[in-house]
Amino acid sequence: MPNHTVTAPAPATALPPAPSKQRDAFFDNAKYAAIVLVAVGHAWEPLRDGSRTVSALYMLVYAFHMPAFIVISGYFSRSFDGRPQQLRRLVTGLVVPYVVFETAYTLFTRWTDQEPDRPISLLDPLYLTWFLASLFLWRLSAPLWRRVRMPLPLALAVAMLATLSPSIGNDLDLQRTLQFLPYFVLGLLLRPEHFRMVRRRAVRLAAVPVFAGAFVVAYWAVPRMAGAWFYHRDSAEELGAPQWYGAVMTPVLFACSLVLVACFLAWVPGRRMWCTVLGVGTLYGYLLHGFVAQASKYFGWYDPAWMQQPVGPVVVGVVAAVVVTVLCTPPVRRALRFAVEPDMRWLFRRDAKEEARDRAAVPG
C-alpha cells in the first residue's frame, strides 16, 4: 500500500487542462520503492514457514511499507476539502476501482482458491482492495482532522480503542482503517521541510544501523510475536492477547514504524531516475500484482525444493520486483486506464464555474 498510494492518480475530468506543476521526483521514487516492497513482501509470504530469516525480513518490510504509503497519501491529501472536482476524483480514482477489482479478485480467487461459491461482497474487501476503501474514508475525514485540536494524539487514541473491540467486524475493513489512521493523520500534518529533514546525510548514515538493528529484533521476535500485529486488521483479543495489550502495542508499533519510515525515506533519491516515471503508476502495480501472487500459489511455483534454499527468496524477490515494475509502466497504464482511472465525465453535472470556463474557451 498502497497510490500510495499510494495516492490515487488524478483521472481525466471535464475541465480544460490546467497548467500542471512539475512532479516531485522524490515522492514518485518513494512510491515506486514502496510498491516494490509490497510486491516482494507478498512474494515472500509462502516461504516464511521454512525460514526464520525470511520471516524476519517479511516482518521488517511489513513494519514500514504500508505506513510509508499511508503517510505519503496523507501528505497529498492536505488540500482535500470536498470541492466538486475532488469528489469526482474520489469516485473515479477510488470507488470505481474498488468495485472493479473487488469483483475481479472475487472471481479470480474462486478459481485459484477453489472456492466457486465465494460471494461478491462490496462491504468485505478482499485481499488488496482494503486500501482503496480505507483511503476513501481517510480522505473524506481529512477536513475534520485538520480542524481538531491535537489531531495525532486523537487519531492514536482511536486506533488504540479499535484494538480493544473484536466486534468492529469486516465491513469495509474498518479495523484496518482505524488502526492505520494515525499514519494518514501524520501525513496531513507534515510539511515539505519535514521530508527535507529526513533526507539529510546524518539520517542516511543512521538508517543503516537502524535497519540492521531492526532486522535483529525481527529475527528475535519471529517465534515470540505474531506478525499479524503489523497487518493492523485484528483486535488484540483476535490475536490471542489480552485486550489491554492492543492499547500498549499501538503506540509502540506506531513509533517503531515511523522510525523505519524515516530511514526508508532517507535513502530515497530526490533526483529524476529511470524509475521516477513508474511512481505515477503505483496504483496499477498495487492492484494488478495480486493476480500474479494468487496465480503463483495455484500453479505451484513455490513447490520446487530449491525454493526453500537461500537462493529461493532471492529469486522470488527479484521476480516480484520485475513484475510490479512492468505493471507500473506507461503501456500498462494506458491499456488499463479504463479500470483504474476511468473517464466518467458523463456521470457528473458541471458546476457554474466549469460552465463559465467552457464558455470562455469558445472563441467569438
Side-chain angles (χ1 to χ4, degrees):
M1 333 316 23
N3 216 260
H4 1 307
T5 18
V6 199
T7 51
T13 69
L15 293 173
S20 59
K21 297 179 180 179
Q22 185 175 2
R23 296 181 65 95
D24 190 328
F26 168 75
F27 289 106
D28 282 334
N29 293 338
K31 290 188 290 182
Y32 169 72
I35 198 61
V36 168
L37 291 175
V38 169
V40 170
H42 285 147
W44 279 342
E45 186 174 0
L47 300 175
R48 287 183 300 160
D49 291 341
S51 171
R52 184 172 176 178
T53 299
V54 173
S55 296
L57 288 170
Y58 179 89
M59 184 180 292
L60 177 60
V61 167
Y62 266 75
F64 73 91
H65 70 9
M66 286 310 297
F69 257 129
I70 296 167
V71 167
I72 294 174
S73 297
Y75 178 76
F76 282 101
S77 299
R78 292 173 301 155
S79 63
F80 184 89
D81 56 11
R83 294 192 300 271
Q85 184 179 1
Q86 293 175 330
L87 293 175
R88 286 198 295 267
R89 290 167 67 172
L90 269 186
V91 172
T92 58
L94 293 177
V95 176
V96 174
Y98 174 78
V99 173
V100 170
F101 283 89
E102 176 68 17
T103 303
Y105 270 114
T106 301
L107 298 177
F108 191 72
T109 56
R110 283 180 181 179
W111 169 56
T112 57
D113 292 345
Q114 298 294 293
E115 293 188 23
D117 297 326
R118 173 170 285 168
I120 296 175
S121 172
L122 298 182
L123 291 178
D124 186 6
L126 180 65
Y127 198 33
L128 300 169
T129 56
W130 71 268
F131 181 73
L132 298 178
S134 294
L135 185 55
F136 175 79
L137 296 174
W138 292 328
R139 282 251 174 93
L140 285 179
S141 71
L144 171 65
W145 294 108
R146 291 199 305 271
R147 285 164 176 78
V148 299
R149 296 180 184 273
M150 299 184 296
L152 187 56
L154 182 58
L156 268 172
V158 170
M160 293 164 66
L161 290 173
T163 66
L164 303 180
S165 175
S167 61
I168 288 179
N170 296 322
D171 288 354
L172 295 181
D173 228 336
L174 191 56
Q175 187 70 257
R176 255 179 176 150
T177 301
L178 297 176
Q179 290 194 36
F180 273 121
L181 176 63
Y183 300 98
F184 182 81
V185 173
L186 175 64
L188 289 173
L189 302 176
L190 293 178
R191 296 293 179 266
E193 54 268 27
H194 296 127
F195 290 95
R196 288 195 291 269
M197 287 174 59
V198 301
R199 294 164 62 190
R200 292 178 301 178
R201 185 171 184 271
V203 182
R204 287 199 299 271
L205 293 176
V208 177
V210 168
F211 267 118
F215 172 75
V216 172
V217 172
Y219 191 87
W220 171 85
V222 165
R224 298 173 174 85
M225 172 184 170
W229 280 103
F230 293 103
Y231 299 158
H232 296 286
R233 69 183 179 196
D234 301 301
S235 66
E237 185 177 315
E238 290 170 311
L239 292 173
Q243 279 191 330
W244 62 266
Y245 205 71
V248 174
M249 286 290 286
T250 297
V252 170
L253 292 179
F254 181 72
C256 292
S257 293
L258 287 190
V259 170
L260 294 176
V261 168
C263 291
F264 164 71
L265 293 176
W267 278 97
V268 172
R271 64 187 184 278
R272 289 195 63 83
M273 302 173 62
W274 65 270
C275 61
T276 303
V277 67
L278 303 176
V280 182
T282 49
L283 186 59
Y284 290 78
Y286 178 81
L287 292 173
L288 296 171
H289 86 277
F291 293 107
V292 181
Q294 291 291 318
S296 66
K297 302 171 189 177
Y298 177 78
F299 288 111
W301 296 348
Y302 291 92
D303 294 344
W306 63 268
M307 278 289 191
Q308 303 302 324
Q309 301 300 318
V311 70
V314 175
V315 172
V316 166
V318 170
V319 170
V322 170
V323 167
V324 79
T325 296
V326 171
L327 295 176
C328 292
T329 57
V332 173
R333 299 198 327 254
R334 286 193 295 269
L336 294 175
R337 191 177 300 275
F338 72 93
V340 182
E341 301 176 85
D343 181 354
M344 302 184 67
R345 285 175 288 185
W346 55 269
L347 182 62
F348 301 100
R349 292 186 302 177
R350 294 185 299 174
D351 58 27
K353 290 183 179 179
E354 292 171 344
E355 291 177 355
R357 286 177 59 179
D358 286 348
R359 285 195 298 270
V362 177

